[in-house]
Short mmCIF file of all heavy atoms in Angstrom, two decimals:
data_model
loop_
_atom_site.label_atom_id
_atom_site.label_comp_id
_atom_site.label_asym_id
_atom_site.label_seq_id
_atom_site.Cartn_x
_atom_site.Cartn_y
_atom_site.Cartn_z
N THR A 34 71.39 -9.68 92.38
CA THR A 34 71.04 -9.05 91.10
C THR A 34 72.28 -8.48 90.42
O THR A 34 73.27 -8.12 91.09
CB THR A 34 70.03 -7.93 91.31
OG1 THR A 34 70.64 -6.86 92.04
CG2 THR A 34 68.80 -8.44 92.06
N GLU A 51 77.65 -11.56 104.68
CA GLU A 51 77.31 -12.86 104.08
C GLU A 51 77.46 -12.83 102.56
O GLU A 51 77.82 -13.84 101.94
CB GLU A 51 75.90 -13.28 104.47
CG GLU A 51 74.77 -12.35 104.04
CD GLU A 51 74.45 -11.26 105.04
OE1 GLU A 51 75.34 -10.95 105.86
OE2 GLU A 51 73.31 -10.74 105.01
N PHE A 68 89.50 -5.77 99.90
CA PHE A 68 89.85 -4.58 100.68
C PHE A 68 91.28 -4.09 100.40
O PHE A 68 91.74 -3.16 101.04
CB PHE A 68 89.67 -4.86 102.17
CG PHE A 68 88.24 -5.11 102.56
CD1 PHE A 68 87.68 -6.37 102.42
CD2 PHE A 68 87.44 -4.07 103.02
CE1 PHE A 68 86.35 -6.60 102.76
CE2 PHE A 68 86.12 -4.29 103.36
CZ PHE A 68 85.56 -5.56 103.23
N THR A 72 95.34 0.97 92.75
CA THR A 72 95.99 2.11 92.12
C THR A 72 95.37 2.29 90.74
O THR A 72 94.88 1.33 90.13
CB THR A 72 97.50 1.89 91.97
OG1 THR A 72 97.73 0.68 91.23
CG2 THR A 72 98.16 1.77 93.33
N THR A 128 113.35 4.74 64.52
CA THR A 128 112.33 5.19 65.46
C THR A 128 110.94 4.82 64.97
O THR A 128 110.08 4.40 65.77
CB THR A 128 112.44 6.72 65.65
OG1 THR A 128 113.74 7.05 66.10
CG2 THR A 128 111.41 7.19 66.68
N ILE A 138 115.91 -6.52 61.63
CA ILE A 138 115.37 -7.55 62.52
C ILE A 138 116.36 -8.70 62.70
O ILE A 138 116.64 -9.14 63.82
CB ILE A 138 114.02 -8.07 61.98
CG1 ILE A 138 112.99 -6.94 61.96
CG2 ILE A 138 113.51 -9.24 62.83
CD1 ILE A 138 111.71 -7.28 61.22
N ILE A 156 119.15 -23.08 71.22
CA ILE A 156 118.95 -22.62 72.60
C ILE A 156 118.30 -23.75 73.40
O ILE A 156 117.22 -24.21 73.06
CB ILE A 156 118.07 -21.36 72.62
CG1 ILE A 156 118.77 -20.23 71.87
CG2 ILE A 156 117.77 -20.94 74.07
CD1 ILE A 156 117.89 -19.02 71.63
N PHE A 174 96.84 -20.23 81.97
CA PHE A 174 95.77 -20.40 80.99
C PHE A 174 95.11 -19.06 80.69
O PHE A 174 94.74 -18.32 81.59
CB PHE A 174 94.74 -21.41 81.52
CG PHE A 174 95.30 -22.81 81.60
CD1 PHE A 174 95.85 -23.28 82.78
CD2 PHE A 174 95.28 -23.65 80.49
CE1 PHE A 174 96.39 -24.56 82.86
CE2 PHE A 174 95.81 -24.93 80.56
CZ PHE A 174 96.37 -25.39 81.74
N ALA A 182 100.24 -15.57 73.96
CA ALA A 182 101.19 -14.92 74.87
C ALA A 182 101.01 -13.41 74.77
O ALA A 182 100.37 -12.90 73.86
CB ALA A 182 102.62 -15.30 74.50
N PHE A 233 98.62 -1.27 61.45
CA PHE A 233 99.95 -1.24 62.05
C PHE A 233 100.22 -2.51 62.83
O PHE A 233 101.33 -3.04 62.83
CB PHE A 233 100.10 -0.03 62.97
CG PHE A 233 100.06 1.30 62.25
CD1 PHE A 233 99.71 2.46 62.93
CD2 PHE A 233 100.36 1.39 60.90
CE1 PHE A 233 99.68 3.68 62.29
CE2 PHE A 233 100.33 2.60 60.24
CZ PHE A 233 99.99 3.76 60.94
N THR A 263 113.10 -31.02 52.91
CA THR A 263 111.98 -31.96 52.83
C THR A 263 111.33 -32.07 54.20
O THR A 263 111.93 -31.72 55.22
CB THR A 263 112.46 -33.36 52.40
OG1 THR A 263 113.33 -33.89 53.43
CG2 THR A 263 113.22 -33.29 51.08
N TRP A 274 116.51 -28.34 67.45
CA TRP A 274 116.30 -26.90 67.42
C TRP A 274 115.03 -26.48 68.16
O TRP A 274 114.83 -25.30 68.46
CB TRP A 274 116.25 -26.40 65.97
CG TRP A 274 117.60 -26.45 65.33
CD1 TRP A 274 118.15 -27.51 64.63
CD2 TRP A 274 118.61 -25.44 65.36
NE1 TRP A 274 119.42 -27.20 64.21
CE2 TRP A 274 119.73 -25.92 64.64
CE3 TRP A 274 118.67 -24.16 65.89
CZ2 TRP A 274 120.89 -25.18 64.47
CZ3 TRP A 274 119.83 -23.41 65.71
CH2 TRP A 274 120.92 -23.92 65.02
N LYS A 306 99.39 -34.18 55.72
CA LYS A 306 100.05 -35.18 56.55
C LYS A 306 99.78 -34.99 58.04
O LYS A 306 99.65 -35.97 58.78
CB LYS A 306 101.55 -35.12 56.28
CG LYS A 306 102.35 -36.26 56.91
CD LYS A 306 103.78 -36.24 56.41
CE LYS A 306 104.55 -37.46 56.94
NZ LYS A 306 105.94 -37.50 56.42
N LYS A 338 109.06 -16.79 106.04
CA LYS A 338 107.61 -16.86 105.91
C LYS A 338 107.17 -18.31 105.91
O LYS A 338 107.91 -19.19 105.47
CB LYS A 338 107.14 -16.20 104.60
CG LYS A 338 107.41 -14.72 104.47
CD LYS A 338 106.49 -13.89 105.36
CE LYS A 338 106.76 -12.40 105.17
NZ LYS A 338 105.83 -11.58 105.99
N GLY A 363 98.34 -27.08 94.84
CA GLY A 363 98.24 -27.57 96.20
C GLY A 363 99.49 -27.32 97.03
O GLY A 363 99.49 -27.57 98.24
#
Side-chain angles (χ1 to χ4, degrees):
T34 66
E51 61 271 22
F68 295 84
T72 56
T128 303
I138 297 170
I156 298 170
F174 292 94
F233 294 158
T263 65
W274 289 90
K306 189 171 185 178
K338 297 287 182 178

